[in-house]
Amino acid sequence: MSTYESGFMRTMEERGFLHQLSNAKGLDELCAKEVVTAYIGFDCTASSLHIGSLVQIMMLHWFQKTGHRPITLMGSGTTRVGDPTGKDQSRKVLTDEDIEGNKNGIKQVFDRFLQFGEGPSDAIMMDNADWLLKLNYMDFLRDVGRYFSVNQMIQRDSVRLRLEREQHLSFLEFNYMLLQGYDYLEIHRRTGCRLQMGGSDQWSNILSGVDLGRRLADEELFALTTPLLTTASGAKMGKTASGAVWLNADMLSPYDYWQFWRNTEDADVEKFLKLFTILPMEEIRRLTAMGGAEINEAKKVLATEATALLHGQEEADKAAETARKAFEEGLNATGLPTIEIAIPELKEGLGILNVFVTAGLCTSNGEVRRNIKGGAVRINDKAEQDHNRTITEADLTDDGVIKLSLGKKKHVLVKPF
């Protein structure tokens, strides 16, 4: 039985989003009696968000679904400073053009999860560059900086851990906490926002804004964070041997995205169904009650539901069907990830080590050798045991492709051009 009254807080609790709350009772009462505005910030450090941001996006989705107004804050202003949280070194300084390009890249994902418009609970998008780039430095120091205690700032994890490891922390990065706190105050002034949400690593930064709201606006603002998300084996969520799991289709295909979820560890299926799908809780309980080999069916549901949210139902169904043909029928499904190699190169012959790294199935020649030794490398569904093997035109199937496989689940087609 939930201890919360509001639909939002009950949903957050039962689906596993809650970690830290500045005033749980007060936030619950507020959400129960009125439409609340909340925001989450996304810095523009890459041209796509990755799956590590998906918990936050889903939280905005449920916030809106339970009747409230979400704000997606593009951090093209704070990106110019760089968040030191969880970093051992300073972020690369990006040009204004890079930041603008990245912002345009990450903006496109939100339409899949939120409804934007002019209604009371319609989402809005803001950019902190609109106010941060106009700040007068002396005024900012006098009006805002005086409320921040350096004694407290150096005790916060984002700063303390860098100092303990004797890693360089620039004054530029040290200002990030002030700017994020000021963001909260400014968004509150412009929209009436009362809640900032984020990952647990942002707790200190969010509390800075809560404190600033009390001091400068005489208003109680709220903070909510989600747990640090790791897999059952302890790996950081969203990182694979091949790199980050990007949300934009031009950086990771819908099929590879589907496969990421299909490869979920058994112990994570229930948690991920709660966090990353919109399936009713009754259906999730039914799926996760299945044991043994039936858990694979739950993983397929997870993969299809999560992919449909991001890429649409058609792409999700296509990915599921491609996987079925590739894995259950052993066919060269045309929907598999494909790399193109020039015909002259194929005629000359390509080393198996190089091809598997180029295809993204392995990250190094050494990894290919280890997998060959372990019997995991296959060409056109036949196991390969020679690390000196050369792939040529002679390996083309009747479909005009070469199928590379690593284990039972990872496949890439080589297509000549």
Side-chain angles (χ1 to χ4, degrees):
M1 185 72 178
S2 176
T3 57
Y4 297 111
E5 295 183 8
S6 67
F8 172 66
M9 293 294 287
R10 286 200 303 269
T11 300
M12 291 295 94
E13 182 180 43
E14 69 180 357
R15 301 189 84 99
F17 285 91
L18 295 183
H19 181 53
Q20 296 156 303
L21 289 152
S22 59
N23 178 355
K25 187 174 184 294
L27 179 59
D28 184 41
E29 290 175 352
L30 186 68
C31 289
K33 72 179 183 181
E34 63 184 72
V35 176
V36 179
T37 299
Y39 87 95
I40 299 177
F42 301 87
D43 276 356
C44 310
T45 54
S47 58
S48 169
L49 296 173
H50 57 71
I51 214 167
S53 298
L54 196 55
V55 173
Q56 316 311 322
I57 296 172
M58 290 302 297
M59 192 155 49
L60 290 173
H61 168 86
W62 287 114
F63 190 67
Q64 184 173 51
K65 282 292 184 183
T66 52
H68 303 288
R69 181 172 67 158
I71 296 174
T72 57
L73 177 69
M74 300 293 100
S76 64
T78 40
T79 302
R80 289 164 165 82
V81 174
D83 185 359
T85 304
K87 307 291 189 302
D88 281 338
Q89 56 188 353
S90 301
R91 279 179 175 168
K92 176 185 175 184
V93 176
L94 301 176
T95 66
D96 291 355
E97 291 74 18
D98 287 338
I99 293 172
E100 188 65 20
N102 289 344
K103 182 178 77 170
N104 290 333
I106 68 177
K107 281 168 60 174
Q108 58 187 283
V109 73
F110 294 104
D111 281 333
R112 292 289 187 180
F113 296 88
L114 301 171
Q115 177 180 318
F116 290 83
E118 302 298 326
S121 64
D122 283 343
I124 58 177
M125 187 173 288
M126 304 178 76
D127 187 341
N128 61 17
D130 291 344
W131 53 84
L132 293 182
L133 299 189
K134 299 173 183 177
L135 285 177
N136 177 292
Y137 188 58
M138 294 306 297
D139 289 344
F140 181 73
L141 287 179
R142 183 190 61 198
D143 298 338
V144 177
R146 64 195 178 104
Y147 292 110
F148 284 80
S149 165
V150 172
N151 307 64
Q152 293 178 354
M153 290 172 71
I154 61 176
Q155 292 303 312
R156 296 195 170 157
D157 287 348
S158 59
V159 175
R160 179 178 55 80
L161 294 175
R162 286 273 283 272
L163 297 178
E164 286 179 356
R165 291 194 292 263
E166 297 185 0
Q167 299 285 350
H168 173 72
L169 178 71
S170 71
F171 181 68
L172 179 70
E173 294 171 285
F174 196 59
N175 275 270
Y176 191 93
M177 196 180 300
L178 279 73
L179 297 178
Q180 186 169 338
Y182 182 71
D183 277 349
Y184 197 172
L185 177 66
E186 187 65 26
I187 293 170
H188 168 70
R189 286 171 170 170
R190 293 179 180 225
T191 68
C193 176
R194 298 283 303 277
L195 172 63
Q196 183 184 173
M197 304 185 289
S200 59
D201 60 338
Q202 293 298 312
W203 180 244
S204 295
N205 290 344
I206 296 174
L207 287 183
S208 297
V210 170
D211 184 58
L212 208 56
R214 185 178 69 253
R215 291 174 178 271
L216 291 179
D218 193 26
E219 184 79 76
E220 181 180 14
L221 305 182
F222 296 91
L224 186 161
T225 66
T226 57
L228 175 65
L229 195 59
T230 58
T231 64
S233 60
K236 188 174 182 180
M237 179 67 182
K239 293 290 185 181
T240 69
S242 303
V245 182
W246 300 105
L247 300 185
N248 287 11
D250 60 345
M251 295 183 69
L252 186 77
S253 72
Y255 174 82
D256 285 331
Y257 189 76
W258 189 95
Q259 276 299 323
F260 170 79
W261 296 109
R262 172 62 181 83
N263 293 334
T264 294
E265 297 177 37
D266 291 0
D268 287 326
V269 173
E270 182 177 5
K271 176 170 69 173
F272 288 179
L273 281 167
K274 290 178 181 179
L275 291 172
F276 301 114
T277 78
I278 57 174
L279 288 174
M281 290 299 298
E282 301 77 28
E283 177 66 6
I284 291 173
R285 283 189 281 268
R286 185 191 70 80
L287 287 167
T288 53
M290 299 189 298
E294 288 183 315
I295 195 67
N296 288 322
E297 294 306 311
K299 291 181 184 181
K300 292 175 186 176
V301 173
L302 166 63
T304 301
E305 292 292 325
T307 304
L309 275 177
L310 178 63
H311 296 296
Q313 192 65 53
E314 183 179 348
E315 289 292 345
D317 291 341
K318 189 188 303 182
E321 179 62 10
T322 296
R324 187 189 68 79
K325 288 181 178 179
F327 306 145
E328 296 176 11
E329 299 179 10
L331 302 177
N332 279 344
T334 56
L336 287 173
T338 302
I339 60 168
E340 294 186 336
I341 293 179
I343 291 176
E345 290 185 65
L346 268 182
K347 286 182 176 179
E348 187 175 334
L350 296 164
I352 188 173
L353 305 182
N354 178 47
V355 171
F356 268 72
V357 172
T358 301
L361 291 168
C362 295
T363 57
S364 67
N365 289 350
E367 186 182 348
V368 184
R369 287 191 182 95
R370 287 192 295 275
N371 279 290
I372 289 174
K373 187 176 180 179
V377 169
R378 304 176 78 86
I379 298 174
N380 293 330
D381 296 320
K382 295 180 180 179
E384 184 54 59
Q385 299 179 337
D386 181 8
H387 66 263
N388 292 315
R389 163 85 144 86
T390 299
I391 294 172
T392 68
E393 271 189 311
D395 294 302
L396 290 170
T397 65
D398 292 341
D399 296 325
V401 295
I402 303 168
K403 183 180 178 184
L404 310 178
S405 303
L406 185 69
K408 296 179 179 180
K409 298 179 180 178
K410 298 179 73 174
H411 307 268
V412 172
L413 301 182
V414 175
K415 184 177 180 181
F417 71 96

Coordinates of all heavy atoms in Angstrom, one line a residue, residues 341-350 391-394 396 402 414-417:
I341 N 31.6 -2.5 -47.6 CA 33.0 -2.6 -47.9 C 33.1 -2.6 -49.5 O 32.4 -3.3 -50.2 CB 33.6 -3.9 -47.3 CG1 33.6 -3.8 -45.8 CG2 35.0 -4.1 -47.9 CD1 34.2 -5.0 -45.1
A342 N 34.1 -1.8 -50.0 CA 34.3 -1.7 -51.4 C 34.7 -3.0 -52.0 O 35.4 -3.8 -51.4 CB 35.4 -0.7 -51.7
I343 N 34.1 -3.3 -53.2 CA 34.4 -4.6 -53.9 C 35.9 -4.8 -54.1 O 36.4 -5.9 -53.9 CB 33.6 -4.6 -55.3 CG1 32.1 -4.7 -55.0 CG2 34.1 -5.8 -56.1 CD1 31.3 -4.6 -56.2
P344 N 36.7 -3.8 -54.5 CA 38.1 -4.0 -54.7 C 38.8 -4.5 -53.4 O 39.7 -5.3 -53.4 CB 38.7 -2.6 -55.1 CG 37.5 -2.0 -55.7 CD 36.3 -2.4 -55.0
E345 N 38.3 -4.0 -52.2 CA 38.9 -4.4 -51.0 C 38.5 -5.9 -50.7 O 39.4 -6.7 -50.2 CB 38.4 -3.6 -49.8 CG 38.9 -2.2 -49.8 CD 38.4 -1.4 -48.6 OE1 38.8 -1.8 -47.5 OE2 37.6 -0.5 -48.7
L346 N 37.3 -6.3 -51.0 CA 36.9 -7.7 -50.8 C 37.7 -8.6 -51.8 O 38.1 -9.7 -51.4 CB 35.4 -7.9 -51.1 CG 34.5 -7.7 -49.9 CD1 33.0 -8.0 -50.3 CD2 34.9 -8.7 -48.8
K347 N 37.9 -8.2 -53.0 CA 38.7 -9.0 -53.9 C 40.1 -9.2 -53.4 O 40.7 -10.3 -53.5 CB 38.7 -8.3 -55.3 CG 37.4 -8.4 -56.1 CD 37.6 -7.7 -57.4 CE 36.3 -7.9 -58.2 NZ 36.3 -7.2 -59.6
E348 N 40.7 -8.2 -52.8 CA 42.0 -8.3 -52.3 C 42.1 -9.1 -51.0 O 43.0 -9.8 -50.7 CB 42.6 -6.9 -52.0 CG 44.0 -6.9 -51.6 CD 44.6 -5.5 -51.4 OE1 44.0 -4.5 -52.0 OE2 45.5 -5.3 -50.6
G349 N 41.0 -9.1 -50.3 CA 40.9 -9.9 -49.0 C 41.1 -9.0 -47.8 O 42.0 -8.2 -47.8
L350 N 40.3 -9.2 -46.8 CA 40.4 -8.5 -45.5 C 40.6 -9.5 -44.4 O 39.9 -10.5 -44.3 CB 39.1 -7.7 -45.3 CG 38.8 -6.6 -46.3 CD1 37.3 -6.1 -46.2 CD2 39.7 -5.4 -46.1
I391 N 38.8 -12.7 -45.3 CA 37.4 -12.7 -45.9 C 37.4 -12.0 -47.3 O 38.0 -11.0 -47.5 CB 36.5 -11.9 -44.9 CG1 36.4 -12.6 -43.6 CG2 35.1 -11.6 -45.6 CD1 35.7 -11.8 -42.5
T392 N 36.9 -12.8 -48.2 CA 36.9 -12.3 -49.6 C 35.6 -12.4 -50.3 O 34.6 -12.8 -49.7 CB 37.9 -13.2 -50.4 OG1 37.4 -14.5 -50.6 CG2 39.3 -13.3 -49.8
E393 N 35.5 -12.1 -51.6 CA 34.3 -12.2 -52.4 C 33.7 -13.6 -52.3 O 32.5 -13.8 -52.4 CB 34.6 -11.9 -53.8 CG 34.5 -10.4 -54.2 CD 34.6 -10.2 -55.7 OE1 35.5 -10.8 -56.3 OE2 33.7 -9.5 -56.2
A394 N 34.6 -14.6 -52.2 CA 34.2 -16.0 -52.2 C 33.2 -16.3 -51.0 O 32.5 -17.3 -51.0 CB 35.4 -16.9 -52.1
L396 N 30.7 -14.4 -50.1 CA 29.4 -13.8 -50.3 C 28.4 -14.9 -50.5 O 28.6 -15.9 -51.2 CB 29.4 -12.9 -51.6 CG 30.2 -11.6 -51.5 CD1 30.3 -10.9 -52.8 CD2 29.5 -10.7 -50.5
I402 N 27.8 -11.0 -46.5 CA 28.5 -11.9 -45.7 C 28.0 -11.7 -44.2 O 28.0 -10.6 -43.8 CB 30.1 -11.7 -45.7 CG1 30.6 -11.8 -47.2 CG2 30.8 -12.6 -44.8 CD1 32.0 -11.3 -47.4
V414 N 28.0 -7.8 -44.0 CA 28.9 -7.1 -44.8 C 28.4 -7.1 -46.2 O 28.0 -8.1 -46.8 CB 30.3 -7.8 -44.8 CG1 31.3 -7.1 -45.8 CG2 30.9 -7.8 -43.4
K415 N 28.2 -5.9 -46.7 CA 27.6 -5.7 -48.0 C 28.6 -5.0 -49.0 O 29.1 -3.9 -48.6 CB 26.3 -4.9 -47.9 CG 25.6 -4.7 -49.2 CD 24.3 -4.0 -49.0 CE 23.5 -3.8 -50.3 NZ 22.2 -3.0 -50.0
P416 N 28.9 -5.6 -50.1 CA 29.9 -4.9 -51.0 C 29.2 -3.8 -51.8 O 28.0 -3.8 -52.0 CB 30.3 -6.1 -52.0 CG 29.1 -7.0 -52.0 CD 28.5 -6.9 -50.6
F417 N 30.0 -2.8 -52.2 CA 29.5 -1.7 -53.0 C 30.5 -1.3 -54.0 O 31.7 -1.6 -53.9 CB 29.1 -0.5 -52.1 CG 30.3 0.3 -51.6 CD1 30.8 1.4 -52.2 CD2 30.9 -0.1 -50.4 CE1 31.9 2.1 -51.7 CE2 32.0 0.5 -49.8 CZ 32.5 1.7 -50.5

